[in-house]
């Protein structure tokens, strides 16, 4: 009989060179439950998922996982051999084989050994939805935007997003007993995200998903593992577990941060008082008065006891100081907090007017008017031209026909992919070279202090995008063009950025797939269609 098993990780540690990425991570993911993994860029989410999936081995610790495990990496696998049809056929093969084997076993049920084998195979086939597999494959291909790919097309010719969606279609088709997914919504439009959520909610086995997609985490997950070192824990590497969906996690996380700050402050106050006592009051007996003449005989007679009392008090105080110093509550690291205004209040005059705009094969917009101070949300499926439109408005891409008139003293554009021409420069040097106003980078709350002097070439994608956003903010544009601004930034920063956008005096054109953002958007909205 097919029995669903949990995935269990015990005390995992992973070190790259001299950098400890994970230490002391333990978790139990049970069948029927869905665990979300969150954390700042560089916190070790992808590393943890590779360890859980068996792609990498931990330096110490152990993982016990179901044998039937499907892993979806954030980046497509390096092996691009084969064709689209072969990938889907490989996913369907074990399901077709199970159905065929059941038909054979059905004719042998009078045999003693066949009855149990038939029951086991039937349970496996039902668990994996074997009779529904072809329909799932067809639906997944259609809803993930793969229906137009010829079965004979080579994997090597696909884009990274197409390869990722093809791997997801194969996973949905195969319906394994355990799935481990790393940022699965990165290349999905609304239809693809809806399909993914339906699949994860319906899966009876183990689900572990690392994601920045707050809507996915809120709808799908019933527990959260937070790897963000700036918000929990003694050493910030073991992770903190929260029960509930993403909204519940946010509530508990804020409360945990408050408790941590309170406990740290209380311990520091206690340590200060103990050190003062060790120097003064612990060495005094009846320190509030001088001995009278009648007391002198007693003081002399009992001097030995007095000194013993002083020594005991000093030892007690010094012992307590040592206990605290050996087991200190760590100082809460300053959490990144994006609180800077997105534009000067005087800059609200920018406007956009687009008519019959065409970029062949990429964009088709008949008319678009954005008035000064408007905040416009641009949505649409993959390939509808959202990024292309923003690049046109930024003056980085010419139209093949039509017009795009932009009235703005200063335009700030945040593209999806950020590239700095001098990767050897530090973040601080790049910021100073690209800005003309005396705004300290550290004050913008977008990079940790330790990252300011690191070369931008070694920063993560999310850190580079935050640096680009810092440059944009410091230059105080009156027209903001933001392309998927919440991609690759922490969940807390994403929420703060949304608030900043909502209060910006500038004119804003924002393109996003982020459903959490879209569900809370209160301004005008336009949806593009594929050209």
């Amino acid at each position: 009989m097919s029995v669903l098993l949990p995935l269990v990780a015990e005390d995992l540690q992973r070190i790259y060179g001299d950098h400890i990425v994970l230490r002391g991570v333990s978790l139990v993911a049970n069948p029927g439950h869905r665990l979300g993994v969150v954390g700042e860029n560089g916190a070790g989410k992808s590393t943890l998922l590779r360890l859980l999936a068996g792609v990498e081995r931990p330096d110490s610790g152990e993982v016990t996982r179901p044998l039937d495990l499907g892993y979806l990496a954030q980046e497509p696998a390096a092996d691009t051999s084969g064709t689209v049809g072969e990938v889907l056929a490989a996913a369907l093969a074990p399901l077709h084989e199970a159905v065929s084997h059941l038909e054979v076993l059905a004719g042998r049920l009078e045999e003693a050994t066949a009855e149990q084998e038939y029951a086991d195979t039937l349970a496996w086939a039902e668990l994996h939805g074997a009779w529904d597999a072809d329909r799932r494959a067809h639906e997944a291909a259609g809803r993930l935007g793969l229906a137009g790919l010829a079965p004979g097309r080579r994997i090597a010719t696909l884009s990274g997003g197409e390869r990722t969606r093809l791997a997801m279609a194969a996973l949905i088709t195969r319906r394994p007993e355990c799935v481990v997914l790393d940022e699965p919504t990165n290349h999905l439009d609304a239809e693809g995200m809806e399909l993914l959520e339906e699949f994860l909610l319906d899966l009876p086995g183990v689900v572990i998903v690392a994601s920045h997609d707050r809507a996915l985490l809120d709808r799908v997950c019933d527990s959260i593992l937070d790897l963000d070192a700036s918000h929990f824990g003694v050493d910030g590497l073991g992770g903190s577990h929260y029960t509930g969906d993403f909204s519940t996690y946010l509530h508990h996380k804020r409360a945990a941060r408050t408790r941590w700050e309170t406990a740290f402050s209380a311990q520091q106050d206690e340590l200060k008082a103990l050190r003062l006592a060790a120097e003064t009051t612990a060495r005094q007996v009846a320190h509030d008065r001088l001995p009278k003449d009648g007391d002198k005989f007693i003081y002399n007679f009992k001097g030995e006891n007095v000194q013993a009392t002083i020594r005991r008090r000093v030892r007690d105080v010094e012992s307590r100081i040592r206990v605290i110093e050996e087991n200190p509550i760590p100082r809460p690291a300053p959490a990144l907090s994006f609180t800077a205004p997105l534009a000067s209040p005087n800059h609200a005059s920018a406007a956009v007017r687009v008519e019959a705009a065409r970029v062949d094969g990429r964009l088709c917009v008949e008319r678009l008017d954005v008035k000064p101070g408007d905040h416009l949300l641009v949505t649409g499926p993959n390939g509808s031209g959202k990024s292309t439109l923003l690049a046109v408005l930024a003056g980085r891409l010419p139209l093949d026909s039509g017009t795009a008139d932009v009235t703005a003293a200063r335009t700030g554009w945040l593209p999806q992919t950020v590239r700095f021409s001098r990767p050897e420069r530090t973040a601080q040097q790049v910021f100073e070279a690209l800005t003309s106003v005396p705004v300290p980078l550290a004050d913008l709350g977008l990079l940790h202090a330790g990252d300011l002097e690191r070369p931008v070439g070694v920063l993560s994608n999310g850190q580079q995008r935050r640096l680009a956003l810092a440059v944009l903010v410091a230059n105080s544009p009156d027209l903001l063009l933001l392309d998927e601004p919440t991609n690759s930034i922490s969940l807390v920063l994403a929420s703060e950025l949304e608030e900043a956008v909502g209060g910006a005096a500038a004119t804003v054109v924002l393109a996003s797939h982020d459903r959490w953002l879209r569900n809370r958007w209160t301004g005008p909205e336009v949806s593009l269609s594929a050209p």
Side-chain angles (χ1 to χ4, degrees):
M1 184 175 179
S2 183
V3 178
L4 291 172
L5 299 174
L7 185 150
V8 180
E10 299 181 44
D11 200 21
L12 299 183
Q13 177 168 288
R14 190 70 173 104
I15 304 172
Y16 296 123
D18 59 355
H19 178 49
I20 300 175
V21 179
L22 296 171
R23 180 171 61 215
V25 177
S26 298
L27 63 89
V28 177
N30 288 307
H33 293 276
R34 295 167 294 277
L35 173 67
V37 180
V38 302
E40 180 62 88
N41 300 102
K45 300 186 298 296
S46 294
T47 299
L48 175 60
L49 264 60
R50 288 194 295 270
L51 299 180
L52 298 180
V55 176
E56 289 186 21
R57 293 182 59 84
D59 294 295
S60 63
E62 184 178 359
V63 179
T64 304
R65 63 182 67 84
L67 294 177
D68 185 14
L69 183 147
Y71 169 60
L72 183 69
Q74 189 172 159
E75 298 296 332
D79 182 10
T80 56
S81 60
T83 66
V84 171
E86 288 170 349
V87 170
L88 294 177
L92 286 166
L95 306 172
H96 289 167
E97 290 170 5
V99 172
S100 298
H101 191 46
L102 278 172
E103 293 173 355
V104 173
L105 290 172
R108 295 170 43 204
L109 285 179
E110 67 280 357
E111 300 175 16
T113 58
E115 184 175 347
Q116 186 59 51
E117 186 178 359
Y118 180 88
D120 291 344
T121 305
L122 178 61
W124 188 95
E126 289 177 339
L127 181 65
H128 291 77
W131 289 275
D132 195 37
D134 289 287
R135 184 203 62 80
R136 280 202 310 276
H138 179 76
E139 181 185 21
R143 296 177 69 180
L144 292 173
L146 303 171
L149 298 181
R153 183 166 172 182
R154 308 295 300 180
I155 304 300
T157 67
L158 302 180
S159 68
E162 288 171 331
R163 291 202 297 271
T164 299
R165 296 199 299 276
L166 178 61
M168 184 177 294
L171 203 65
I172 291 172
T173 299
R174 186 160 69 88
R175 197 176 160 87
E177 296 173 20
C178 173
V179 295
V180 178
L181 311 177
D182 193 358
E183 297 291 354
T185 64
N186 274 359
H187 300 284
L188 300 184
D189 57 16
E191 182 75 5
M193 291 176 185
E194 185 177 357
L195 173 66
L196 173 64
E197 289 179 353
E198 292 170 2
F199 167 66
L200 296 179
L201 288 168
D202 186 55
L203 202 67
V206 174
V207 172
I208 300 176
V209 54
S211 182
H212 280 98
D213 190 318
R214 293 164 290 173
L216 174 76
L217 294 169
D218 205 47
R219 184 180 178 198
V220 167
C221 296
D222 48 34
S223 61
I224 302 289
L225 171 64
D226 188 352
L227 295 179
D228 191 344
S230 67
H231 294 284
F232 65 86
V234 174
D235 59 17
L237 293 171
S240 289
H241 295 263
Y242 299 85
T243 300
D245 58 18
F246 178 72
S247 296
T248 305
Y249 150 76
L250 283 179
H251 172 76
H252 288 314
K253 181 175 178 177
R254 284 192 290 266
R257 173 78 185 196
T258 299
R259 289 194 299 271
W260 182 12
E261 291 171 342
T262 301
F264 172 79
S265 179
Q267 189 183 69
Q268 293 301 303
D269 289 344
E270 181 185 5
L271 191 58
K272 182 179 179 181
L274 287 168
R275 286 170 175 160
L276 177 63
E279 294 297 324
T280 57
T281 57
R283 300 182 184 274
Q284 299 175 13
V285 175
H287 54 274
D288 57 344
R289 69 174 177 86
L290 295 173
K292 299 177 181 177
D293 289 342
D295 294 331
K296 291 181 180 178
F297 172 76
I298 298 175
Y299 267 66
N300 292 331
F301 181 76
K302 296 188 175 182
E304 195 80 24
N305 290 338
V306 170
Q307 292 304 314
T309 299
I310 292 175
R311 288 193 296 270
R312 185 179 68 252
R313 289 182 179 180
V314 171
R315 283 198 305 271
D316 289 345
V317 170
E318 291 178 342
S319 175
R320 178 58 184 156
I321 291 174
R322 283 195 302 272
V323 169
I324 293 177
E325 290 178 339
E326 291 172 1
N327 301 277
I329 296 172
R331 180 186 297 276
L336 291 179
S337 179
F338 181 52
T339 56
L342 274 172
S344 165
N346 297 323
H347 292 164
S349 60
V352 170
R353 184 180 182 87
V354 175
E355 291 189 12
R358 303 282 190 280
V359 176
D360 293 342
R362 296 172 59 180
L363 177 68
C364 177
V365 176
E366 290 303 325
R367 187 176 182 85
L368 180 65
D369 287 298
V370 184
K371 297 177 182 178
D374 275 359
H375 294 175
L376 176 70
L377 175 64
V378 182
T379 64
N382 289 331
S384 60
K386 300 185 298 298
S387 296
T388 300
L389 173 62
L390 266 60
V392 168
L393 298 182
R396 304 301 181 91
L397 183 67
L399 289 171
D400 291 312
S401 62
T403 59
D405 296 323
V406 175
T407 304
R410 183 176 293 162
T411 298
W413 177 46
L414 179 70
Q416 284 197 53
T417 302
V418 172
R419 293 285 184 271
F420 292 104
S421 60
R422 298 286 299 276
E424 75 281 1
R425 285 185 171 183
T426 67
Q428 183 67 48
Q429 290 171 334
V430 168
F431 179 79
E432 291 172 356
L434 296 177
T435 58
S436 56
V437 290
V439 179
L441 175 56
D443 290 355
L444 297 180
L446 288 166
L447 287 175
H448 287 294
D451 294 324
L452 301 184
E453 300 305 322
R454 296 177 66 199
V456 295
V458 304
L459 297 180
S460 70
N461 291 335
Q463 290 167 325
Q464 292 191 42
R465 274 176 62 83
R466 293 204 303 271
L467 175 57
L469 181 59
V471 170
L472 182 152
V473 170
N475 285 323
S476 192
D478 54 348
L479 174 62
L480 284 165
L481 306 173
L482 305 175
D483 194 354
E484 300 289 357
T486 60
N487 274 7
S488 301
I489 66 174
S490 73
L491 302 174
V492 172
L493 278 177
S495 296
E496 292 176 347
L497 175 58
E498 289 172 20
E499 292 181 12
V501 169
T507 304
V508 177
V509 181
L510 186 153
S512 182
H513 275 124
D514 188 332
R515 292 167 297 163
W516 188 274
L517 182 155
R518 287 160 48 190
N519 291 340
R520 289 158 178 76
W521 188 263
T522 57
E525 204 173 317
V526 61
S527 180
L528 302 185
S529 301

